[in-house]
Amino acid sequence: MQLTGAEIVIECLKEQGVDTVFGYPGGSILNVYDELYKHSDEITHILTSHEQGAAHAADGYARATGKVGVCFATSGPGATNLVTGIATACMDSIPLVAITCNVGVSLLGKDSFQEIDITGITMPITKHNFIVKDVKNLAETIRKAFVIAQKGRPGPVLVDIPKDVTANKAEYKKQEIAPVTASKDICEAEIESALKIISKSRKPYIFVGGGAVLADASEELYEFVKKVDAPVTDSLMGKGAFPGTDPLYTGMLGMHGTKTSNYGVSECDLLIVIGARFSDRVTGNAKKFAKNARILQFDVDAAEMNKNVLITDGVVGDIKVALGMINRRLEEQSHPEWIEKIMAYKEQYPLKYHEEGLTGPFVVEEIYRQTEGDAVIVTEVGQHQMWAAQFYKFTKPRTFLTSGGLGTMGYGLGASLGAKVGMPDKTVVNIAGDGCFRMNMNEIATAARYNIPIIQVVVNNHVLGMVRQWQNLFYGKRYSATVLNDSVDFVKLAEALGATGVRAATKEEFKSAFASALTLGRPVVIDCQIDSDEKVWPMVAPGAAISEAFDEKDLEERSN
């Protein structure tokens, strides 16, 4: 049948099982929005306050559900406002399809009103992108976009459609879309080599990254850990892939990882890396990282092998498939002396914080207690992000959503909206610093408009906390442009935007405020007043090895 380009867009989204789109309309995408209006009973559209919020919401929806997130934007500034959200998804390998519309084909390249080369702009931050200049190619291109976004290592794909293409007609035939499945093509020799190196190890350590979450490999990972009999650490992106309550779990690795994990990885004889990319925030000084160990890396992306850290062996392929193959052949290992040593580290170096007054770690622990560990926790970027990673015990994948690679301030609020829309039966909490909250706090209006009952916790220290921490430790306490000494009132702001606002300055006030927020069934902003000089511990100084992690007690001893 003959359909317009706009009709084809909507029909293709329906083919893919898309039930929610986040976006913001404008002139160039008007035909698509007009068609979307006719299908509002099949596809829900969430009008965000800003296109960046739409991209982050699509990202959060994808992370929480495992489906492809979809966002819409018009040409020019509408499209460029998606860029930060697309880059965030790209760095963390999140499947997202962004559909933008541009000026008509005849107006391209003429500096027309609201014209922008969005495919050129997003080429470095997408897995692939397209501009569709002929309506006959539109359906095929959208279908390709969804496959590319999901296949292998996931990522964002952008499809740009000139306005006249959305009005032109072409023959459309509905297709039944087969789900994108993991490739089982894994080199047998790599599996055999992995089995040998694991069997020879006496002090193995397992490091879990976001790839284990994206591959839905939690069950295989758990069986693998028990068979290898090794302690487990993770990255920000890997949280929840292995239960944070398991005795073998030793906390996060890297700049703000636990001393147990940092020391253990530095002393192990085999580091088994499951879907992690050796970020500089994890490795510290890469030349000194795991210097006593052979490194065995599992990753779906061959480009990650030997990219940041030289490895000994690697298995390229889908992690769920690869671990399944290993588990079927690996005999159970036993390393009692090694495990005993790591458990002694856990007892010797627990995560601690000041007990007096309201603090960031207390806020996170109280959220954990009241949600009984069964919530989707979203964060912005900074101190609060590290406290959330340290003090909330994640036991399931897709329950910790954070910008790990790009470190995007302003990510969390939009992402929490997407997560709650995708997982309406889950409690969704966005933890933000006051600096991050300011970035996209306009999305509280979106939450209020649709009555999306997210709980927004602002850890308000009236400074840019993580930057100030660096200034305090490494820049002679010169607090250049990091003090937020103004009169912004987040409680009044929340109320003005249609949400409930509460201020908490004590532990009891926060306990009460959060307990109430869990029952209200509407968006709530809790403004938590904490000290400006509270810090995240432990810490690894820039350029240092992770084995040189230090905490407040170490700092005091050095200064005496």
Side-chain angles (χ1 to χ4, degrees):
M1 58 182 151
Q2 290 281 314
L3 296 182
T4 67
E7 290 172 326
I8 289 171
V9 169
I10 301 304
E11 291 302 321
C12 284
L13 294 184
K14 288 162 58 179
E15 284 180 358
Q16 298 290 336
V18 173
D19 55 22
T20 307
V21 172
F22 305 89
Y24 207 99
S28 291
I29 201 171
L30 208 50
N31 291 333
V32 175
Y33 268 87
D34 189 53
E35 191 59 32
L36 182 64
Y37 180 85
K38 302 169 189 175
H39 295 267
S40 57
D41 59 332
E42 298 168 282
I43 299 176
T44 298
H45 179 268
I46 302 295
L47 174 65
T48 54
S49 298
H50 190 283
E51 289 92 351
Q52 185 176 333
H56 292 325
D59 174 303
Y61 177 94
R63 295 192 202 218
T65 65
K67 302 176 184 177
V68 178
V70 180
C71 57
F72 282 177
T74 195
S75 62
T80 58
N81 282 344
L82 294 178
V83 167
T84 297
I86 293 170
T88 300
C90 184
M91 287 288 281
D92 290 343
S93 303
I94 305 304
L96 184 149
V97 171
I99 295 178
T100 57
C101 288
N102 216 321
V103 299
V105 172
S106 63
L107 296 175
L108 291 172
K110 297 181 178 178
D111 294 334
S112 305
F113 177 69
Q114 290 195 335
E115 179 199 356
I116 201 75
D117 178 12
I118 194 62
T119 54
I121 288 170
T122 59
M123 188 175 292
I125 57 167
T126 51
K127 193 174 175 187
H128 198 81
N129 64 23
F130 303 89
I131 181 167
V132 184
K133 296 181 182 180
D134 187 336
V135 69
K136 294 176 184 176
N137 300 326
L138 184 56
E140 180 187 2
T141 301
I142 293 174
R143 291 166 185 149
K144 279 183 182 178
F146 276 84
V147 171
I148 293 169
Q150 299 171 81
K151 194 170 185 179
R153 181 177 184 168
V157 179
L158 180 135
V159 180
D160 192 36
I161 313 167
K163 185 172 183 178
D164 52 348
V165 174
T166 66
N168 296 339
K169 289 190 174 184
E171 188 66 23
Y172 166 81
K173 185 177 181 181
K174 183 179 178 180
Q175 286 190 8
E176 292 297 324
I177 303 298
V180 176
T181 56
S183 170
K184 292 183 168 59
D185 185 17
I186 295 178
C187 177
E188 179 65 27
E190 291 179 353
I191 294 292
E192 286 297 326
S193 180
L195 288 165
K196 287 178 183 177
I197 193 174
I198 292 169
S199 298
K200 291 179 180 178
S201 172
R202 296 294 173 263
K203 298 189 294 181
Y205 222 110
I206 297 172
F207 170 41
V208 181
V213 174
L214 295 169
D216 294 321
S218 292
E219 290 183 10
E220 290 79 5
L221 173 63
Y222 188 84
E223 181 182 350
F224 177 73
V225 169
K226 298 303 178 178
K227 276 204 162 188
V228 176
D229 190 34
V232 180
T233 182
D234 57 17
S235 67
L236 272 177
M237 303 308 303
K239 293 217 155 283
F242 185 81
T245 52
D246 191 280
L248 287 173
Y249 179 69
T250 62
M252 190 167 61
L253 183 67
M255 180 173 281
H256 293 293
T258 63
K259 283 188 174 183
T260 302
S261 293
N262 285 352
Y263 292 171
V265 166
S266 299
E267 296 172 20
C268 70
D269 67 5
L270 173 63
L271 181 62
I272 305 170
V273 184
I274 313 290
R277 58 186 177 81
F278 296 109
S279 160
D280 58 294
R281 289 300 172 100
V282 161
T283 63
N285 186 328
K287 293 179 180 178
K288 298 180 180 180
F289 179 74
K291 61 182 180 181
N292 298 312
R294 300 182 74 177
I295 297 178
L296 169 62
Q297 184 177 5
F298 291 80
D299 206 288
V300 73
D301 187 355
E304 288 299 333
M305 303 294 176
N306 295 308
K307 187 177 82 174
N308 296 328
V309 170
L310 292 178
I311 66 172
T312 312
D313 291 89
V315 177
V316 178
D318 182 85
I319 288 169
K320 186 180 183 75
V321 175
L323 290 182
M325 293 173 70
I326 293 283
N327 290 340
R328 286 189 290 273
R329 306 185 202 181
L330 182 65
E331 294 184 6
E332 287 197 9
Q333 308 293 299
S334 180
H335 308 101
E337 292 182 5
W338 173 238
I339 296 296
E340 185 179 351
K341 180 175 184 178
I342 298 302
M343 293 306 107
Y345 277 160
K346 278 183 73 171
E347 189 172 338
Q348 185 178 357
Y349 302 115
L351 289 171
K352 294 185 290 186
Y353 62 91
H354 294 290
E355 296 292 335
E356 63 276 7
L358 186 63
T359 64
F362 174 84
V363 165
V364 173
E365 285 197 330
E366 185 61 25
I367 292 171
Y368 177 75
R369 282 190 287 268
Q370 292 199 28
T371 60
E372 299 179 336
D374 187 26
V376 175
I377 302 298
V378 190
T379 77
E380 306 288 350
V381 172
Q383 289 180 316
H384 64 277
Q385 178 189 33
M386 297 298 106
W387 289 323
Q390 291 175 329
F391 291 98
Y392 197 99
K393 297 178 179 67
F394 297 93
T395 58
K396 298 175 183 175
R398 302 192 181 280
T399 56
F400 183 56
L401 317 184
T402 194
S403 174
L406 196 62
T408 305
M409 293 176 70
Y411 164 80
L413 183 49
S416 68
L417 298 179
K420 184 63 178 177
V421 169
M423 305 292 285
D425 295 332
K426 298 288 285 186
T427 297
V428 177
V429 183
N430 183 46
I431 304 174
D434 48 322
C436 288
F437 182 58
R438 292 162 182 256
M439 293 280 184
N440 281 323
M441 60 190 179
N442 51 359
E443 297 304 340
I444 290 294
T446 308
R449 180 188 303 118
Y450 295 99
N451 195 32
I452 303 172
I454 53 106
I455 302 174
Q456 170 66 65
V457 175
V458 183
V459 182
N460 189 354
N461 54 10
H462 301 276
V463 294
L464 300 178
M466 188 60 86
V467 185
R468 180 185 175 90
Q469 178 167 332
W470 279 53
Q471 289 172 330
N472 181 281
L473 295 173
F474 309 119
Y475 289 84
K477 299 183 180 181
R478 295 182 295 277
Y479 301 124
S480 176
T482 52
V483 180
L484 306 177
N485 55 350
D486 50 34
S487 302
V488 175
D489 187 324
F490 292 140
V491 173
K492 289 181 179 178
L493 174 83
E495 293 170 349
L497 294 175
T500 296
V502 187
R503 185 169 291 108
T506 67
K507 291 180 177 179
E508 291 306 316
E509 286 177 352
F510 179 73
K511 287 180 182 180
S512 175
F514 193 80
S516 175
L518 286 171
T519 67
L520 286 178
R522 66 191 311 268
V524 178
V525 177
I526 306 175
D527 179 10
C528 303
Q529 302 287 316
I530 73 164
D531 187 81
S532 297
D533 281 317
E534 191 176 350
K535 294 181 177 62
V536 179
W537 301 113
M539 184 176 188
V540 176
I546 59 171
S547 59
E548 299 172 46
F550 65 95
D551 56 24
E552 192 171 24
K553 183 180 177 182
D554 297 324
L555 206 60
E556 290 171 357
E557 290 176 354
R558 289 178 194 174
S559 60
N560 291 336

